[in-house]
C-alpha cells in the first residue's frame, strides 16, 4: 500500500458499518459498494465514500437558514429583533444572517459580493445594489463626497471574477476630483472607455484571465460565458459586455507589458519604447554590453566560440489568421516593441523586395520541410502562419515573429532573421533551419541587397546548420555539411527549440485565427512574453539539469575516444596523424574531402557470398588435416583439443541448419565429416589419457560416446575438469596461454563479421531494390548474423574457461580489464543501427550524440583484424571521426554551460542594478509607487541572482569532479582535445 494513504481500515470499516446501519442500507455494507464501483483497496476514495451522505446532507443544509434547535432570526450585527435578518453573503465565511442595513454597511468595501435573501421558503440571490449599496469613488470607504455625481444611467456594469454586477456608483465632483477613469482605476476597476465609462472590469478578473489564458489557452468568449453562468445559471438576462471585455483585456495586457519593462519610469513613457525593447530576453544568450566581457570577440575562434548566438528559424502553419478586419480598424498597441515585428515596416519591406527575392527550386530531397516553403495560404486566409527565430534555450527572440502569406518565403523569413539580429546580437551567429541547405545558398547576397536601408550594420559571421531531428530527411551531403553532430564549436545544440515551443502555443490558434490583425499581434506578444518568462524563472534549474547530464556524458565519451585511439595506435600509429589532418582540414574548409563519408562502393551480395563460401571451405579443409599423433607433447595435445572444439561447433552448426528434406548427397557429406571427426576425437582421447591420469573414470557416464555423435562428445579439457580431477600445473598453465590467444582471435572474428554485417546493411540500403533481391540479400545477412552469434557464443565459452583457469594459472589479473563479459548490447558494429543500443537507455535507440561505441572496438589490437580491406579501413576511420566529434561536442557543451551560467548571473545582476537605479531616481513625493515598483523588481532579479548562486554552488566542482587527470588524447594541432577525465561519475 502507498504510505501516502494512511488509513485505519478496521476503524473505517466499523464506522462505515455504523453509518450503513443508521441509513438503513442493504446488507453487504460499503465493501460490496466498493466492489461494484471497481475501486482498488488502496485508493484514497476509500476513505471518503462512507461519508458521502454526510457531505450531501451538509450541502443541502446550506440551502436553508441552517438554524439550530431553538434559534431565532436575529441580525448578527445589530441584534435588533424587529429588524428582519433575512440576508447572508455567499462570498464571506460568515454564515450568520443580517438585516438589510447591516449587510450593506458590512460590505461597503466588498461591493462585488453576492447576497442571499430568505423569502420565507427558500434563499434566492440579490445584489447589494438592490439592497441600497452605493459606491463612492474618489474618497476613502465611509467618507461621503459633498458633490457626488451618479454614473450615467445610475448603474455601472462591473465584470468581476464571480460574475457580472450592476452596481450603483457615484463619481467625485468636489475639489479633489480626478478624471472619472482615474477614479475607477484607483478603485482597481479598469474602465472600458475614458469617456463616460459605463462598463469596467476588476483588476482581479483581468489578471486572473491573463494567467488562465497562458495556462489553459481559454478564449475571452469562454471567459465571458463563464461569467454569465456565474451570474445566472437559469437563463436570466445578463448585460452583454463581451466586446467591452475584449477591449479591456487588450489594454490591460499592453499596460502590464509597459509597466514590467520600465516604460513608466522612463522619460517619454510608453512612446519612448523602441523595437524589441519590451521583449522578455533570454538571460543565458550572449548580449553585448550586458552579460559579455568587453573583449569577448578578441582571440582565436577556439576561445571565443562560446560567445556565439545560436538561433533556430522555423514556421508554424497552425497560427494562421482569417481575412477579417484590417490594420486601420484594428491596430496593434505594442507596435513592434516586443516579439512581433513592426507591421508597418514589415509590409514596406515585403512591398519593396517581395518580387525581387525568388524562392529557389529545391535541390535536396523532396520532404515536407522543403515543400512547405511554397505552400499557399488558402482562400479567405490573411496569414498562413507565423515565422519565428528562437534561441538555443527555447525562447523567442525580440522582433522575430511575423506573418507568412505564402509558406516560408525567403523574403519573409529574411526580415525576421535581420530584425532579430538587429537586437544586440554578437559577432558570431550559428543559425539552424529545416531547409538551411536551400535557404543559405543566396542568403549573403540577399543581405547585401537589404543592407543599405534595413541592415546597414549587420556584419556577422555565420555558421549554418540543419536541426538534428530534421536532418535525417536530407540527402547524405547535407547530413554531414550541416550537422550539429560533426561540426565544431556548437556543443550539444540541436536547433529544435521552435518545435518544443509550438506545442505550448498551438492551443491559442483557434482564438487568434478569428482575431483582427492588431488584436492577434498583441495577443501573440503577451503569450510569447509569458512563455519566455516561465523559462527565465526556471533557468537555474534547467541549466543545472543540463550540467548533470553533460558531465557524465563527457567523461564517458572522452574515455571511449581515448580507448579507441589507443587501440588504433597499437597497430597503426601513423594512421592517426593522417586521419587527424583530414578531419581538421574538413572542419576548416568544407570543400576538402569529408572524413565522415566513405568513398568506397561497398561490398556486393556476391562478394559477401564468396567470402562466406571461402570461410566454409577453409573450415572443412581443417577437418581433413593430418590425424592425431599418439606421441605428442602436452602442449600439442592441448592445441589439438582446442582445434577439435572448433570442429565440433562447426559440425553442430551445419547439422542444426540442415534442411528438413536434405538430399542424399548433403546427408552423405555430413556423415563423412562426422566419421572423420569421430576418429580424430577417439585418437585424441587416447593421447589425453596419457597426460591426464584418471580422465577415463570421468568418461564412463558419457552416453554420447556410445552413440558415436562426434560433435556431442565432451573433450574434458583441463579447465573443464580441474575441480573434479587433479590436473598438473603444467597443463593448466599451457591451456591458460592457449585460451588467452584464442579469445583474442575469437574477438577478431566477431569484429570482422560485425564489420561485414555493417557493410551489407549499407550496400542493401543503397543498391537492393525489389522483392527478389531483398529476399536474397536477407538470406546472406542471416548467414552473417549466424556467424556473429557463433563468435559470441565461442567468446563466452572461452571467457568462462579463462575464469576457471585464473584461480591456478599465473597471471596479474589485468586480463579481466581486457576481456570483459560480452552482453547482447555489446555485440554492435561500428555503425549505430538498431543493435547499437546501450543497456542504460531503456526507451528506444539513443541519439547519435549519445551513442557509445561498444567496448569490443576499444580494445588494443583490433585494427589489424579489420583493416585488411579498404572498406574496413574507411569504416574505422569514420567511426574514429564520429567518436572524436562526440567527445568534442560534450566537452564543448560543458564549456558552453559554464559560460551560460556566468551569463545568467551577470544578466540578473545587471537587471537588478538597473531597477535599483530607477528606484533611487528623483521622483515627486506623490510618486512613491514608482520607487516601490522599481524596488520590488530589483528584489525579484536579486532573488533570481541569489537562487542561481545557491543552486549552482557545487557546479564548479562538478565540472571538474574526480581527481581531474588531464589527458592529451592527440598531440599536435588538435589542441582542443584536452580533457579533464573524472575518475568517478
Amino acid at each position: 500500500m502507498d504510505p501516502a494513504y494512511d488509513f485505519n481500515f478496521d476503524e473505517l470499516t466499523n464506522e462505515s458499518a455504523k453509518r450503513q446501519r443508521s441509513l438503513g442500507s442493504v446488507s453487504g455494507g460499503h465493501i460490496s459498494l466498493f466492489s461494484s464501483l471497481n475501486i482498488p483497496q488502496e485508493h484514497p476514495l476509500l476513505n471518503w465514500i462512507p461519508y458521502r451522505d454526510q457531505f450531501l446532507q451538509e450541502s443541502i443544509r446550506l440551502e436553508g437558514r441552517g438554524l439550530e434547535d431553538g434559534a431565532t432570526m436575529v441580525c448578527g450585527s445589530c441584534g435588533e429583533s424587529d429588524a428582519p435578518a433575512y440576508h447572508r453573503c455567499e462570498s464571506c465565511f460568515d454564515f450568520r444572517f443580517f438585516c438589510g442595513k447591516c449587510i450593506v454597511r458590512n460590505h461597503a468595501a466588498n461591493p462585488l459580493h453576492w447576497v442571499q435573501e430568505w423569502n420565507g421558503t427558500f434563499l434566492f440571490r440579490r445584489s447589494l445594489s438592490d439592497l441600497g449599496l452605493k459606491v463612492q469613488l474618489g474618497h476613502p470607504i465611509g467618507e461621503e463626497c459633498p458633490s457626488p455625481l451618479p454614473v450615467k444611467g445610475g448603474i455601472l456594469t462591473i465584470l468581476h471574477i464571480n460574475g457580472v454586477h450592476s452596481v450603483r456608483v457615484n463619481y467625485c465632483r468636489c475639489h479633489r476630483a480626478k478624471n472619472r477613469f482615474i477614479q475607477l482605476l484607483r478603485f482597481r476597476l479598469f474602465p472600458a472607455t475614458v469617456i463616460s465609462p459605463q462598463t469596467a472590469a476588476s483588476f482581479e478578473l483581468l489578471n486572473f484571465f491573463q494567467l488562465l489564458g497562458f495556462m489553459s489557452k481559454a478564449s475571452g468568449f469562454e471567459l465571458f460565458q463563464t461569467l454569465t453562468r456565474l451570474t445566472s445559471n437559469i437563463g436570466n438576462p445578463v448585460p452583454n459586455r463581451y466586446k467591452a471585455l475584449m477591449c479591456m483585456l487588450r489594454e490591460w495586457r499592453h499596460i502590464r507589458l509597459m509597466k514590467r519593462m520600465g516604460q513608466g519610469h522612463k522619460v517619454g513613457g510608453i512612446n519612448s519604447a523602441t523595437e524589441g525593447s519590451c521583449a522578455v530576453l533570454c538571460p543565458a544568450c550572449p548580449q553585448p554590453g550586458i552579460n559579455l566581457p568587453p573583449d569577448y570577440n578578441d582571440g582565436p575562434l577556439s576561445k571565443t566560440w562560446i560567445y556565439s548566438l545560436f538561433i533556430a528559424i522555423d514556421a508554424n502553419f497552425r497560427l494562421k489568421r482569417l481575412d477579417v478586419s484590417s490594420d486601420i480598424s484594428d491596430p496593434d498597441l505594442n507596435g513592434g516593441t516586443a516579439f512581433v515585428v513592426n507591421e508597418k515596416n514589415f509590409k514596406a519591406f515585403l512591398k519593396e523586395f517581395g518580387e525581387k527575392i525568388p524562392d529557389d527550386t529545391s535541390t535536396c530531397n523532396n520532404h515536407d520541410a522543403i515543400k512547405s516553403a511554397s505552400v499557399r495560404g488558402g482562400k479567405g486566409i490573411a496569414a498562413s502562419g507565423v515565422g519565428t527565430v528562437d534561441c538555443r534555450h527555447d525562447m523567442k527572440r525580440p522582433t522575430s515573429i511575423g506573418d507568412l502569406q505564402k509558406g516560408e518565403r525567403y523574403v519573409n523569413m529574411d526580415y525576421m532573421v535581420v530584425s532579430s539580429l538587429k537586437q544586440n546580437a554578437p559577432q558570431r551567429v550559428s543559425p539552424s533551419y529545416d531547409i538551411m541547405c536551400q535557404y543559405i545558398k543566396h542568403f549573403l547576397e540577399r543581405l547585401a541587397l537589404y543592407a543599405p536601408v534595413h541592415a546597414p550594420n549587420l556584419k556577422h559571421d555565420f555558421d549554418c546548420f540543419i536541426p538534428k531531428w530534421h536532418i535525417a530527411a536530407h540527402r547524405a551531403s547535407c547530413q554531414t555539411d550541416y550537422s550539429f553532430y560533426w561540426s565544431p564549436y556548437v556543443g550539444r545544440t540541436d536547433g529544435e527549440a521552435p518545435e518544443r515551443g509550438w506545442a505550448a502555443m498551438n492551443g491559442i490558434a483557434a482564438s487568434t485565427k478569428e482575431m483582427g490583425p492588431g488584436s492577434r499581434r498583441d495577443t501573440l506578444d503577451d503569450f510569447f512574453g509569458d512563455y519566455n518568462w516561465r523559462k527565465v524563472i526556471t533557468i537555474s534549474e534547467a541549466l543545472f539539469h543540463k550540467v548533470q547530464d553533460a558531465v557524465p556524458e563527457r567523461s564517458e565519451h572522452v574515455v571511449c575516444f581515448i580507448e579507441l585511439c589507443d587501440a588504433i595506435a597499437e597497430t597503426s600509429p601513423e594512421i592517426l596523424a593522417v586521419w587527424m589532418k583530414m578531419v581538421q582540414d574538413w572542419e576548416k574548409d568544407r570543400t576538402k574531402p569529408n572524413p565522415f563519408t566513405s568513398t568506397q562502393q561497398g561490398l556486393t551480395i556476391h562478394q559477401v557470398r564468396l567470402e562466406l563460401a571461402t570461410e566454409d571451405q577453409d573450415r572443412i579443409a581443417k577437418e581433413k588435416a593430418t590425424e592425431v599423433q599418439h606421441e605428442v607433447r602436452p602442449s600439442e595435445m592441448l592445441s589439438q583439443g582446442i582445434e577439435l572444439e572448433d570442429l565440433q561447433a562447426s559440425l553442430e552448426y551445419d547439422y542444426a541448419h540442415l534442411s528438413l528434406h536434405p538430399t542424399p548427397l548433403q546427408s552423405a557429406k555430413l556423415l563423412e565429416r562426422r566419421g572423420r571427426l569421430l576418429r580424430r576425437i577417439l585418437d585424441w582421447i587416447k593421447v589425453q589419457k596419457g597426460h591426464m591420469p584418471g580422465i577415463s573414470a570421468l568418461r564412463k557416464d558419457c552416453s554420447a560416446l556410445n552413440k558415436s555423435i562426434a560433435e556431442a562428445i565432451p573433450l574434458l579439457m583441463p579447465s573443464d575438469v580441474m575441480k573434479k580431477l587433479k590436473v598438473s600445473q603444467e597443463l593448466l598453465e599451457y591451456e591458460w596461454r592457449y585460451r588467452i590467444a584464442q579469445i583474442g582471435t575469437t574477438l577478431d572474428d566477431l569484429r570482422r563479421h560485425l564489420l561485414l554485417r555493417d557493410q551489407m546493411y549499407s550496400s542493401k540500403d543503397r543498391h537492393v531494390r525489389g522483392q527478389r533481391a531483398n529476399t536474397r540479400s536477407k538470406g546472406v545477412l542471416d548467414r552473417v548474423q549466424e556467424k556473429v552469434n557463433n563468435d559470441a557464443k565461442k567468446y563466452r565459452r572461452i571467457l568462462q574457461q579463462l575464469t576457471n583457469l585464473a584461480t591456478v594459472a599465473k597471471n596479474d589479473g589485468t586480463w579481466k580489464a581486457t576481456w570483459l563479459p560480452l552482453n547482447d548490447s555489446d555485440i554492435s558494429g561500428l555503425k549505430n543501427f538498431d543493435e547499437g543500443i546501450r543497456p542504460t537507455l531503456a526507451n528506444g535507440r539513443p541519439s547519435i550524440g549519445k551513442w557509445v561505441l561498444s567496448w569490443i572496438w576499444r580494445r588494443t589490437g583490433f585494427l589489424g583484424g579489420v583493416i585488411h580491406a579498404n572498406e574496413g579501413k574507411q569504416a574505422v576511420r569514420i567511426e574514429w571521426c564520429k567518436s572524436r566529434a562526440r567527445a568534442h561536442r560534450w566537452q564543448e557543451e560543458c564549456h558552453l554551460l559554464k559560460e551560460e551560467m556566468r551569463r545568467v548571473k551577470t544578466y540578473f545582476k545587471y537587471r537588478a542594478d538597473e531597477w535599483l537605479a530607477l528606484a533611487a531616481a528623483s521622483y515627486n513625493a506623490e510618486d512613491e509607487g514608482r520607487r516601490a515598483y522599481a524596488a520590488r523588481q530589483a528584489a525579484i532579479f536579486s532573488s533570481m541572482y541569489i537562487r542561481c548562486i545557491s543552486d549552482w554552488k557545487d557546479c564548479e566542482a562538478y565540472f571538474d569532479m574526480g581527481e581531474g587527470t588531464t589527458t592529451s588524447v592527440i598531440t599536435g594541432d588538435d589542441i582542443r582535445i584536452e580533457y579533464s577525465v573524472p575518475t568517478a561519475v
Side-chain angles (χ1 to χ4, degrees), residues 30 99 114 267 352 356 373 389 394 498 590 616 648 665 790 814 848 866 967:
H30 70 275
C99 64
W114 291 112
V267 177
E352 181 179 358
K356 298 179 182 178
V389 178
D394 192 14
R590 296 300 172 90
D616 293 341
Q648 282 183 312
L665 180 60
N790 288 338
T814 56
I848 295 175
V866 299
T967 302

Side-chain angles (χ1 to χ4, degrees), residues 213 216-219 318-319 502-512 527:
S216 70
K217 311 303 183 288
S219 66
R318 293 192 63 180
L319 291 174
W502 293 139
M505 291 297 115
N506 286 339
I508 65 171
S511 57
T512 57
F527 274 82

